[in-house]
Amino acid sequence: MTLKAKILGLSVLVVLVSTAMTGLLAYICIETSAIEQIIQDLSGITVASFIIATTVLIVLIYRLLYQIVIQPIKQLQTLANKISEGEEICDVNTIEASELITVGESLVKMQQSLKAKDHEVKKLAYLDSLTGLPNKATLVNSLNQMIDRAKNKHDTKIGVLFLNLDNFKTINDSLGHKIGDILLKKAADRLNNCICGQDFFALSRHPKLSTKNLIARLSGDEFMLLLIDLTSAQEASSTALRILATLAEPFLLNGNEVHIKASIGISIYPNDGNNAEVLIKNSDIAMHAAKSKGKNSYQFYDDSMNIHMARRLELESGMRTAIENNEFFLNYQPRVSINDPSKREFEALIRWQHPTRGLIGPMEFIPIAEETGFIQDIGEWILDQACQQIRFWRDNGMPNVLVSINISSIQINYGSPVLSIKNMLSKHDISSRHLEIEITESSLIENEAVAINLLTHLRNLGVAIALDDFGTGYSSLSYLKRFPIDTLKIDRTFIQDIEKDQESLKILKSIINLAHDLKLKIVAEGVETREQLDSLIELNCETIQGFYLAKPMLAERAASYYLNGFTLPVNSEQLPLYKPPTN
Ligand code: C2E
Ligand code: CA
Ligand code: CA
């Protein structure tokens, strides 16, 4: 039943009850005959008056109730409709009934909170919640708008810059996710200031900004920048350089000074694609090319990168299962001592027998492992494998063996190599005198304090330390004094040069003399000819490693080499595989 009908029914009921009450009163007070007379006299007039009075009363009650109840309810209904349609409401005071005013005010509050929620929802839809930058959906939308706009303009280009922070995963793993998040926020601020300095909060209200440069966070440590109205691709590379310089400044995170670098891939509209999907994909490919070319750099996309990228992705996914599928193995390359034949040393070098790609060298997959963080697991596997081999050799007639293993800068700066080494020595029950680790200068300079601390611990453990690839990169002689190092490994490029020019020979001579003064052992790497060997013997270089003496070989062949007396020169390929005696 409707409200109107209810009120009407109520009014009729009131009139009937009041009439009945009047009759009852008269019946109680006056004699029956007199009443009958009166009734007769008045019946005609009374009936007419009664009908008129009742009608007037009903109309009055209805009007009253309409004003007090029905009209305010109708107004509230209108307000509610306005709220649901998102219209502004502020005319609550026109509602007259006081209780209903309160309800109206509540509705206004409800509308305000709905509006705030609506804004939050928009922000979530358009912006990245951690950094406040636009998210991927906004970026794709804006890029499409920019492309549409550029189609109508002659000779205008759009730069799509895909930026990935180098080694972010390892920072996250070592310093924790909270610090990782702070780093991402700070990096986002720097990027925004560097490129556009925009208020992205405003963007969430007006998500159609296709006329300005844009920066977005795609996911994790991946950012993307859109540069509009470029006249040449070079403008994009200048921006990339500016970004790299901005990020190179150290970040202070909860008292830790963190250095971060980035790799940037650039694709250009219309040259490298005419829709958002292709441009983004190609900038991603170019970013990976930048990473594999040594990080902290930028690369423009070119078509040949696609083939390279497909292979890289295949290796990256294969790496996840390579350890459990026993696809890695170690080769051992002899380091031959010129003056002390009792020394029997090998460098362990990893190889990957890929199920479909065949044998893959470390130069190709170690950088991918470093970039993806797999190097921690692979490094642990190498250490385990090498220690197991040392133990086996020690127990099978090779008591003097020393194996040197390569430790990546990622393991040094973000892992816990001392603990791993300690555990492995104890797991395989071998002495630390059988083990040496090889580290490069670049891994020492990343964080000098960490490196010195690590090397000191290793030294205390009795593990020898070799500085690898000396002569490439920084080649700072001051390192030789500052860091606790036992061995200096002179890089192959240096050895090659001594044949060609006398200057290199002189420099090598002074390096060897200085190293001897500092009581360091010298290993010359990559010796390929008799002439190189002779020059090095003349310069008093005591240990030689290189194809001229022996190539890296399987453990079984290395054992034969050992037991054959580590003689010079030997064609290692002709050595029989060593088989341990069976009891
Ligand atoms: P590296 O530590 O400088 O290792 C020496 C590299 O030079 C080895 O290449 C070796 O096969 C090669 N080599 C040795 N003698 C000669 C020579 O006379 N001539 C020439 N041309 N090359 C020679 P490989 O095994 O391909 O390793 C390349 C690099 O990969 C290594 O350079 C090292 O940086 C990295 N690597 C290898 N194994 C491991 C590993 O187990 N862990 C880590 N983290 N890195 C590794
Ligand atoms: Ca090495
Ligand atoms: Ca080396």
Side-chain angles (χ1 to χ4, degrees):
M1 207 191 285
T2 64
L3 195 65
K4 272 186 192 175
K6 276 183 185 173
I7 292 169
L8 213 63
L10 188 70
S11 312
V12 171
L13 196 70
V14 169
V15 172
L16 288 177
V17 170
S18 59
T19 314
M21 291 296 286
T22 317
L24 193 66
L25 209 66
Y27 180 78
I28 294 165
C29 307
I30 309 166
E31 272 181 39
T32 317
S33 58
I35 290 170
E36 280 171 358
Q37 187 56 47
I38 291 168
I39 289 171
Q40 261 180 12
D41 293 347
L42 293 177
S43 61
I45 306 164
T46 310
V47 170
S49 318
F50 176 73
I51 291 170
I52 292 167
T54 308
T55 313
V56 170
L57 198 63
I58 290 172
V59 170
L60 282 177
I61 292 173
Y62 176 73
R63 278 215 57 156
L64 197 66
L65 284 174
Y66 181 82
Q67 271 182 4
I68 295 171
V69 182
I70 297 175
Q71 195 176 12
I73 287 178
K74 273 191 169 174
Q75 285 170 330
L76 282 178
Q77 200 175 6
T78 314
L79 282 183
N81 284 341
K82 280 187 177 179
I83 288 171
S84 65
E85 281 156 19
E87 270 183 54
E88 200 69 41
I89 55 166
C90 47
D91 51 352
V92 185
N93 296 337
T94 57
I95 302 172
E96 277 154 16
S98 63
E99 292 80 1
L100 292 176
I101 288 177
T102 318
V103 178
E105 282 166 355
S106 303
L107 279 175
V108 172
K109 272 194 202 142
M110 188 174 104
Q111 192 206 28
Q112 281 161 354
S113 96
L114 278 176
K115 265 187 150 182
K117 289 260 161 25
D118 181 51
H119 193 56
E120 270 310 298
V121 169
K122 274 194 183 139
K123 254 173 74 182
L124 281 178
Y126 297 121
L127 302 184
D128 165 53
S129 57
L130 178 73
T131 60
L133 293 180
N135 60 17
K136 187 171 182 181
T138 310
L139 177 121
V140 172
N141 186 22
S142 302
L143 181 54
N144 279 324
Q145 290 174 31
M146 287 176 186
I147 292 170
D148 285 346
R149 200 173 143 266
K151 276 179 187 156
N152 302 323
K153 282 179 138 191
H154 183 62
D155 232 16
T156 182
K157 296 179 195 303
I158 302 167
V160 179
L161 277 64
F162 198 123
L163 183 148
N164 186 289
L165 299 179
D166 295 335
N167 305 335
F168 176 73
K169 183 180 181 305
T170 37
I171 290 176
N172 223 8
D173 291 348
S174 59
L175 298 178
H177 286 246
K178 267 194 184 154
I179 303 264
D181 281 356
I182 300 175
L183 175 62
L184 287 174
K185 272 192 225 167
K186 292 197 170 189
D189 284 348
R190 282 197 198 174
L191 291 171
N192 186 23
N193 289 340
C194 183
I195 299 308
C196 22
Q198 278 179 35
D199 171 14
F200 292 111
F201 195 69
L203 183 77
S204 69
R205 271 173 258 147
H206 308 286
K208 288 199 169 176
L209 275 183
S210 61
T211 51
K212 286 186 176 167
N213 290 343
L214 190 97
I215 166 164
R217 177 170 174 238
L218 301 190
S219 65
D221 58 345
E222 288 179 341
F223 296 87
M224 182 159 281
L225 293 94
L226 303 180
L227 306 176
I228 59 161
D229 294 338
L230 299 181
T231 49
S232 75
Q234 266 51 51
E235 288 173 47
S237 55
S238 324
T239 306
L241 282 174
R242 212 168 64 235
I243 292 168
L244 292 176
T246 307
L247 291 177
E249 296 289 316
F251 288 86
L252 197 65
L253 308 172
N254 281 12
N256 298 299
E257 199 176 90
V258 173
H259 294 261
I260 191 128
K261 291 169 184 156
S263 300
I264 302 175
I266 308 174
S267 66
I268 301 285
Y269 168 88
N271 315 31
D272 303 323
N274 57 11
N275 65 60
E277 194 189 342
V278 174
L279 286 164
I280 292 172
K281 186 187 93 195
N282 289 345
S283 65
D284 189 1
I285 291 174
M287 184 276 290
H288 278 98
K291 276 219 191 283
S292 56
K293 288 209 169 146
K295 304 183 177 174
N296 197 32
S297 62
Y298 70 85
Q299 281 285 317
F300 279 103
Y301 170 80
D302 88 63
D303 288 338
S304 67
M305 286 176 181
N306 262 317
I307 304 158
H308 176 80
M309 186 63 190
R311 181 170 165 95
R312 203 204 116 94
L313 287 176
E314 191 182 0
L315 297 192
E316 197 178 313
S317 74
M319 223 174 258
R320 290 169 210 280
T321 49
I323 292 183
E324 65 197 53
N325 293 344
N326 284 323
E327 288 163 16
F328 291 125
F329 65 96
L330 292 183
N331 263 352
Y332 295 87
Q333 186 177 30
R335 291 182 353 188
V336 179
S337 171
I338 305 291
N339 305 318
D340 185 355
S342 70
K343 281 199 171 154
R344 306 288 159 96
E345 302 174 359
F346 294 102
E347 177 177 3
L349 296 158
I350 192 169
R351 307 282 180 263
W352 183 5
Q353 189 63 50
H354 192 279
T356 53
R357 294 286 183 166
L359 190 63
I360 303 173
M363 297 293 265
E364 187 173 0
F365 71 84
I366 290 285
I368 303 175
E370 290 181 328
E371 212 177 283
T372 51
F374 286 125
I375 192 66
Q376 303 287 7
D377 290 344
I378 296 176
E380 197 75 5
W381 178 87
I382 293 166
L383 191 60
D384 193 11
Q385 196 68 19
C387 289
Q388 189 182 332
Q389 191 63 59
I390 292 170
R391 169 68 193 260
F392 178 80
W393 281 340
R394 191 199 69 188
D395 294 350
N396 287 279
M398 300 168 65
N400 295 332
V401 75
L402 177 136
V403 173
S404 74
I405 55 173
N406 293 280
I407 304 268
S408 147
S409 79
I410 303 290
Q411 289 169 274
I412 291 180
N413 289 293
Y414 307 104
S416 41
V418 178
L419 190 67
S420 301
I421 290 171
K422 230 183 190 167
N423 289 342
M424 288 302 172
L425 291 175
S426 114
K427 176 179 171 188
H428 297 286
D429 190 23
I430 52 170
S431 154
S432 56
R433 73 182 174 86
H434 292 291
L435 197 64
E436 182 175 89
I437 63 148
E438 298 191 9
I439 50 178
T440 57
E441 281 171 284
S442 54
S443 55
L444 295 182
I445 58 149
E446 206 162 302
N447 191 334
E448 217 178 287
V450 169
I452 291 181
N453 183 36
L454 168 93
L455 298 188
T456 312
H457 275 90
L458 286 176
R459 170 65 68 80
N460 293 341
L461 214 62
V463 175
I465 297 149
L467 189 62
D468 205 359
D469 301 345
F470 193 80
T472 60
Y474 315 90
S475 303
S476 160
L477 293 172
S478 66
Y479 287 129
L480 307 181
K481 263 173 65 187
R482 280 216 300 284
F483 295 101
I485 295 161
D486 304 283
T487 305
L488 190 67
K489 294 194 75 178
I490 300 173
D491 191 68
R492 179 161 67 95
T493 49
F494 226 99
I495 307 299
Q496 283 167 344
D497 284 352
I498 57 171
E499 266 184 299
K500 285 185 246 145
D501 80 90
Q502 285 297 308
E503 283 306 303
S504 292
L505 194 67
K506 277 188 205 156
I507 297 173
L508 185 60
K509 192 175 180 178
S510 48
I511 290 176
I512 291 176
N513 287 339
L514 178 83
H516 283 154
D517 287 347
L518 293 168
K519 307 267 180 296
L520 296 177
K521 208 172 87 178
I522 298 272
V523 177
E525 293 191 298
V527 176
E528 291 181 347
T529 65
R530 177 80 225 183
E531 290 71 30
Q532 287 169 355
L533 177 66
D534 288 343
S535 306
L536 288 160
I537 292 175
E538 207 169 301
L539 290 175
N540 255 339
C541 175
E542 61 267 30
T543 310
I544 306 293
Q545 179 179 355
F547 291 172
Y548 183 68
L549 302 179
K551 288 190 170 170
M553 51 186 106
L554 287 171
E556 294 82 351
R557 193 161 270 130
S560 295
Y561 190 88
Y562 181 108
L563 296 169
N564 205 42
F566 252 68
T567 44
L568 295 178
V570 158
N571 183 350
S572 63
E573 303 298 324
Q574 286 165 8
L575 281 172
L577 291 185
Y578 171 74
K579 295 240 168 25
T582 44
N583 298 330

